[in-house]
Amino acid sequence: MRTYAKVLAVSAAAALALSACGRGGDTPASGSGGGSTGGAAAGGFAANSLIGIALPQKTSENWVLAESLFNDGLSGAGFQKDVQFANGGVGEQQNQIQAMITKGAKVIVVGAIDSKQLGTQLKAAKDAGITVIAYDRQLQSTDAVNYYIAYNNEKVGELQGQALLDGMKAKKANGPYNVELFAGSPDDPNAQVFFNGAMKILQPKISDGTLKVVSGQTSFNQVVTQGWKAENAQKRMDTLISANYQSGTKLDGVLSPNDTLARAILESCKQAGIGTPIVTGQDSEVESVKSIVAGGDYAQYSTINKDTTNLVKATIEMIQALQKGETPKTNATDDNGSKSVPTEYLEPVIVTKANAAEAYKGTSLEQYTK
Ligand code: GAL
């Protein structure tokens, strides 16, 4: 599904041509020749136009940070803005997008709660000539999305899978290792992509016996965490421990898709007193970075650096290109089930105690690495 590596190898222009011929003639919406997907007119739009930003729920720090970065960044670039969170759920997000359309937004950036339930609103945006950018999470099964911008989510999963293996090997040179698997919320398309990326690395090791998933729960549906909620992960970990790890069976590692869930999983292990497994994460949340750097009992092993500042900055650059009537820079395409979406992928970085100082140098997290 993802064509990242392939497309990276060719120029941006060729990438766009590839997306156009490979998927039934979809072309990017803006710039000369754009059109079949709707979006900005070739001439762009007024420099002080309204930009709508529809964010999901505050499930992790990166989303909270995105709000202030979009507010400051869009104002700094001279745009009017409407930045909204939908803590109330999908219905609230649908209403917010509809309101952005009514208010005359020229671009709507969407970090979806449930990317399959926005079809009506996205079609209305497309019909109104608004450019839609999927932010961090792809908008699935709709042709009313013009661009996608995110850290490469499959790569995130691969890095998590590899970190889990490396961390366990550093503690005990040879397997078999007992592990458990967790995934994110099933309505967030990223959850499946992270899991698939991780399983690309882990499945061969499960098959050859290096890894043993003691609970036997290895399918995505068995390991999801509704709403990315810490309490759901903690509850599942409690159940896994009482069913599988109370009579001396050692738990060596847990695949966790993000930091919030990693800390919940470790809390469960701590309360049960079963020792510290290697636990992965994502998002570079302050508490997790501190834990990784401190090490010791019930510390998290790894996280992923997906600097939100860079992602928001790149999104605003996309909006500025559209404003000028230019085609935004992209380096990949992503098939959302309905079309091949021109995509800008940023590179995620794995962080452990060993490289934390280097990874966060010059960022607000640097202070926690000393
Ligand atoms: C994902 C996002 C992750 C994490 C998660 C839970 O879509 O890519 O970085 O934030 O949501 O909030």
PDB file of all heavy atoms in Angstrom, residues 59-60 62-63 136-137 153 188 190 194 228 258 282-283 306, ligand 1:
ATOM      1  N   THR A  59      -5.520  12.772  22.947  1.00  0.00           N
ATOM      2  CA  THR A  59      -5.100  11.449  23.413  1.00  0.00           C
ATOM      3  C   THR A  59      -3.621  11.370  23.740  1.00  0.00           C
ATOM      4  O   THR A  59      -3.175  10.401  24.339  1.00  0.00           O
ATOM      5  CB  THR A  59      -5.428  10.380  22.363  1.00  0.00           C
ATOM      6  OG1 THR A  59      -5.095  10.911  21.076  1.00  0.00           O
ATOM      7  CG2 THR A  59      -6.886   9.994  22.390  1.00  0.00           C
ATOM      8  N   SER A  60      -2.853  12.356  23.289  1.00  0.00           N
ATOM      9  CA  SER A  60      -1.428  12.369  23.630  1.00  0.00           C
ATOM     10  C   SER A  60      -0.909  13.799  23.486  1.00  0.00           C
ATOM     11  O   SER A  60      -1.545  14.648  22.869  1.00  0.00           O
ATOM     12  CB  SER A  60      -0.639  11.384  22.755  1.00  0.00           C
ATOM     13  OG  SER A  60      -0.999  11.509  21.401  1.00  0.00           O
ATOM     14  N   ASN A  62       1.302  15.184  21.732  1.00  0.00           N
ATOM     15  CA  ASN A  62       1.573  15.747  20.409  1.00  0.00           C
ATOM     16  C   ASN A  62       0.373  16.508  19.848  1.00  0.00           C
ATOM     17  O   ASN A  62       0.515  17.511  19.166  1.00  0.00           O
ATOM     18  CB  ASN A  62       2.023  14.658  19.432  1.00  0.00           C
ATOM     19  CG  ASN A  62       1.098  13.469  19.387  1.00  0.00           C
ATOM     20  OD1 ASN A  62       0.629  13.001  20.424  1.00  0.00           O
ATOM     21  ND2 ASN A  62       0.803  12.960  18.202  1.00  0.00           N
ATOM     22  N   TRP A  63      -0.832  16.048  20.187  1.00  0.00           N
ATOM     23  CA  TRP A  63      -2.034  16.730  19.682  1.00  0.00           C
ATOM     24  C   TRP A  63      -2.234  18.056  20.397  1.00  0.00           C
ATOM     25  O   TRP A  63      -2.641  19.053  19.788  1.00  0.00           O
ATOM     26  CB  TRP A  63      -3.258  15.836  19.844  1.00  0.00           C
ATOM     27  CG  TRP A  63      -3.203  14.655  18.929  1.00  0.00           C
ATOM     28  CD1 TRP A  63      -3.012  13.346  19.256  1.00  0.00           C
ATOM     29  CD2 TRP A  63      -3.321  14.679  17.484  1.00  0.00           C
ATOM     30  NE1 TRP A  63      -2.996  12.556  18.135  1.00  0.00           N
ATOM     31  CE2 TRP A  63      -3.183  13.346  17.037  1.00  0.00           C
ATOM     32  CE3 TRP A  63      -3.511  15.692  16.551  1.00  0.00           C
ATOM     33  CZ2 TRP A  63      -3.250  13.007  15.684  1.00  0.00           C
ATOM     34  CZ3 TRP A  63      -3.579  15.349  15.202  1.00  0.00           C
ATOM     35  CH2 TRP A  63      -3.449  14.021  14.788  1.00  0.00           C
ATOM     36  N   ASP A 136      -1.356  13.815   9.908  1.00  0.00           N
ATOM     37  CA  ASP A 136      -0.918  12.729  10.797  1.00  0.00           C
ATOM     38  C   ASP A 136      -1.670  11.411  10.543  1.00  0.00           C
ATOM     39  O   ASP A 136      -1.079  10.352  10.516  1.00  0.00           O
ATOM     40  CB  ASP A 136      -1.040  13.140  12.272  1.00  0.00           C
ATOM     41  CG  ASP A 136      -0.447  12.099  13.197  1.00  0.00           C
ATOM     42  OD1 ASP A 136      -1.112  11.091  13.472  1.00  0.00           O
ATOM     43  OD2 ASP A 136       0.702  12.285  13.615  1.00  0.00           O
ATOM     44  N   ARG A 137      -2.995  11.479  10.387  1.00  0.00           N
ATOM     45  CA  ARG A 137      -3.797  10.280  10.125  1.00  0.00           C
ATOM     46  C   ARG A 137      -4.442  10.415   8.746  1.00  0.00           C
ATOM     47  O   ARG A 137      -5.044  11.448   8.453  1.00  0.00           O
ATOM     48  CB  ARG A 137      -4.891  10.150  11.179  1.00  0.00           C
ATOM     49  CG  ARG A 137      -4.355  10.097  12.602  1.00  0.00           C
ATOM     50  CD  ARG A 137      -5.469  10.179  13.621  1.00  0.00           C
ATOM     51  NE  ARG A 137      -4.942   9.996  14.969  1.00  0.00           N
ATOM     52  CZ  ARG A 137      -5.677  10.018  16.072  1.00  0.00           C
ATOM     53  NH1 ARG A 137      -6.986  10.199  15.984  1.00  0.00           N
ATOM     54  NH2 ARG A 137      -5.142   9.833  17.257  1.00  0.00           N
ATOM     55  N   ASN A 153       4.355   6.338   9.115  1.00  0.00           N
ATOM     56  CA  ASN A 153       3.803   5.528  10.209  1.00  0.00           C
ATOM     57  C   ASN A 153       4.208   4.051  10.157  1.00  0.00           C
ATOM     58  O   ASN A 153       4.332   3.402  11.186  1.00  0.00           O
ATOM     59  CB  ASN A 153       2.285   5.658  10.214  1.00  0.00           C
ATOM     60  CG  ASN A 153       1.841   7.064  10.543  1.00  0.00           C
ATOM     61  OD1 ASN A 153       2.329   7.641  11.505  1.00  0.00           O
ATOM     62  ND2 ASN A 153       0.945   7.627   9.751  1.00  0.00           N
ATOM     63  N   ASP A 188      -8.552   4.792  14.522  1.00  0.00           N
ATOM     64  CA  ASP A 188      -7.432   5.581  14.004  1.00  0.00           C
ATOM     65  C   ASP A 188      -6.660   4.704  13.020  1.00  0.00           C
ATOM     66  O   ASP A 188      -6.077   3.691  13.426  1.00  0.00           O
ATOM     67  CB  ASP A 188      -6.534   5.986  15.185  1.00  0.00           C
ATOM     68  CG  ASP A 188      -5.237   6.658  14.752  1.00  0.00           C
ATOM     69  OD1 ASP A 188      -4.998   6.784  13.540  1.00  0.00           O
ATOM     70  OD2 ASP A 188      -4.467   7.051  15.642  1.00  0.00           O
ATOM     71  N   ASN A 190      -3.886   4.943  11.760  1.00  0.00           N
ATOM     72  CA  ASN A 190      -2.471   4.776  12.109  1.00  0.00           C
ATOM     73  C   ASN A 190      -2.242   3.542  12.969  1.00  0.00           C
ATOM     74  O   ASN A 190      -1.180   2.926  12.915  1.00  0.00           O
ATOM     75  CB  ASN A 190      -1.960   5.991  12.892  1.00  0.00           C
ATOM     76  CG  ASN A 190      -1.691   7.182  11.997  1.00  0.00           C
ATOM     77  OD1 ASN A 190      -1.781   7.060  10.786  1.00  0.00           O
ATOM     78  ND2 ASN A 190      -1.366   8.302  12.592  1.00  0.00           N
ATOM     79  N   PHE A 194       0.862   1.185  12.306  1.00  0.00           N
ATOM     80  CA  PHE A 194       1.945   0.966  13.289  1.00  0.00           C
ATOM     81  C   PHE A 194       2.099  -0.538  13.551  1.00  0.00           C
ATOM     82  O   PHE A 194       3.202  -1.064  13.590  1.00  0.00           O
ATOM     83  CB  PHE A 194       1.633   1.633  14.646  1.00  0.00           C
ATOM     84  CG  PHE A 194       1.493   3.142  14.622  1.00  0.00           C
ATOM     85  CD1 PHE A 194       0.584   3.776  15.463  1.00  0.00           C
ATOM     86  CD2 PHE A 194       2.273   3.925  13.792  1.00  0.00           C
ATOM     87  CE1 PHE A 194       0.448   5.158  15.464  1.00  0.00           C
ATOM     88  CE2 PHE A 194       2.145   5.325  13.789  1.00  0.00           C
ATOM     89  CZ  PHE A 194       1.221   5.929  14.628  1.00  0.00           C
ATOM     90  N   TRP A 228      -7.329   4.876  22.413  1.00  0.00           N
ATOM     91  CA  TRP A 228      -5.948   5.116  22.864  1.00  0.00           C
ATOM     92  C   TRP A 228      -5.944   5.424  24.373  1.00  0.00           C
ATOM     93  O   TRP A 228      -5.138   6.226  24.867  1.00  0.00           O
ATOM     94  CB  TRP A 228      -5.317   6.313  22.128  1.00  0.00           C
ATOM     95  CG  TRP A 228      -4.931   6.101  20.705  1.00  0.00           C
ATOM     96  CD1 TRP A 228      -5.650   6.481  19.596  1.00  0.00           C
ATOM     97  CD2 TRP A 228      -3.708   5.531  20.198  1.00  0.00           C
ATOM     98  NE1 TRP A 228      -4.950   6.169  18.450  1.00  0.00           N
ATOM     99  CE2 TRP A 228      -3.766   5.596  18.789  1.00  0.00           C
ATOM    100  CE3 TRP A 228      -2.573   4.969  20.801  1.00  0.00           C
ATOM    101  CZ2 TRP A 228      -2.739   5.124  17.969  1.00  0.00           C
ATOM    102  CZ3 TRP A 228      -1.558   4.505  19.982  1.00  0.00           C
ATOM    103  CH2 TRP A 228      -1.644   4.582  18.590  1.00  0.00           C
ATOM    104  N   ASN A 258       2.312   3.538  21.796  1.00  0.00           N
ATOM    105  CA  ASN A 258       2.687   4.919  22.140  1.00  0.00           C
ATOM    106  C   ASN A 258       3.044   5.032  23.623  1.00  0.00           C
ATOM    107  O   ASN A 258       2.946   4.063  24.386  1.00  0.00           O
ATOM    108  CB  ASN A 258       1.628   5.937  21.672  1.00  0.00           C
ATOM    109  CG  ASN A 258       0.458   6.123  22.623  1.00  0.00           C
ATOM    110  OD1 ASN A 258       0.339   5.455  23.651  1.00  0.00           O
ATOM    111  ND2 ASN A 258      -0.418   7.049  22.288  1.00  0.00           N
ATOM    112  N   GLN A 282       6.021   5.734  21.719  1.00  0.00           N
ATOM    113  CA  GLN A 282       6.012   6.679  20.603  1.00  0.00           C
ATOM    114  C   GLN A 282       5.497   8.014  21.126  1.00  0.00           C
ATOM    115  O   GLN A 282       4.591   8.021  21.969  1.00  0.00           O
ATOM    116  CB  GLN A 282       5.046   6.172  19.508  1.00  0.00           C
ATOM    117  CG  GLN A 282       4.692   7.214  18.475  1.00  0.00           C
ATOM    118  CD  GLN A 282       3.817   6.711  17.346  1.00  0.00           C
ATOM    119  OE1 GLN A 282       3.931   7.203  16.240  1.00  0.00           O
ATOM    120  NE2 GLN A 282       2.967   5.744  17.592  1.00  0.00           N
ATOM    121  N   ASP A 283       6.008   9.072  20.607  1.00  0.00           N
ATOM    122  CA  ASP A 283       5.528  10.451  20.819  1.00  0.00           C
ATOM    123  C   ASP A 283       6.454  11.303  21.671  1.00  0.00           C
ATOM    124  O   ASP A 283       6.235  12.505  21.777  1.00  0.00           O
ATOM    125  CB  ASP A 283       4.112  10.537  21.450  1.00  0.00           C
ATOM    126  CG  ASP A 283       3.004  10.100  20.499  1.00  0.00           C
ATOM    127  OD1 ASP A 283       3.231  10.197  19.274  1.00  0.00           O
ATOM    128  OD2 ASP A 283       1.954   9.651  20.973  1.00  0.00           O
ATOM    129  N   LYS A 306       8.810  12.130  16.842  1.00  0.00           N
ATOM    130  CA  LYS A 306       8.105  12.625  15.653  1.00  0.00           C
ATOM    131  C   LYS A 306       7.823  14.090  15.961  1.00  0.00           C
ATOM    132  O   LYS A 306       6.716  14.455  16.323  1.00  0.00           O
ATOM    133  CB  LYS A 306       6.763  11.922  15.453  1.00  0.00           C
ATOM    134  CG  LYS A 306       6.772  10.428  15.538  1.00  0.00           C
ATOM    135  CD  LYS A 306       5.502   9.825  14.950  1.00  0.00           C
ATOM    136  CE  LYS A 306       4.216  10.260  15.589  1.00  0.00           C
ATOM    137  NZ  LYS A 306       3.034   9.566  15.025  1.00  0.00           N
TER     138      LYS A 306
HETATM  139  C1  GAL B   1      -1.780   8.624  16.361  1.00  0.00           C
HETATM  140  C2  GAL B   1      -0.534   9.435  16.271  1.00  0.00           C
HETATM  141  C3  GAL B   1       0.353   9.055  17.389  1.00  0.00           C
HETATM  142  C4  GAL B   1      -0.361   9.148  18.704  1.00  0.00           C
HETATM  143  C5  GAL B   1      -1.708   8.500  18.667  1.00  0.00           C
HETATM  144  C6  GAL B   1      -2.504   8.664  19.954  1.00  0.00           C
HETATM  145  O1  GAL B   1      -2.604   8.839  15.292  1.00  0.00           O
HETATM  146  O2  GAL B   1       0.124   9.231  15.050  1.00  0.00           O
HETATM  147  O3  GAL B   1       1.486   9.845  17.360  1.00  0.00           O
HETATM  148  O4  GAL B   1      -0.503  10.469  19.015  1.00  0.00           O
HETATM  149  O5  GAL B   1      -2.434   8.949  17.567  1.00  0.00           O
HETATM  150  O6  GAL B   1      -2.733   9.947  20.276  1.00  0.00           O
END
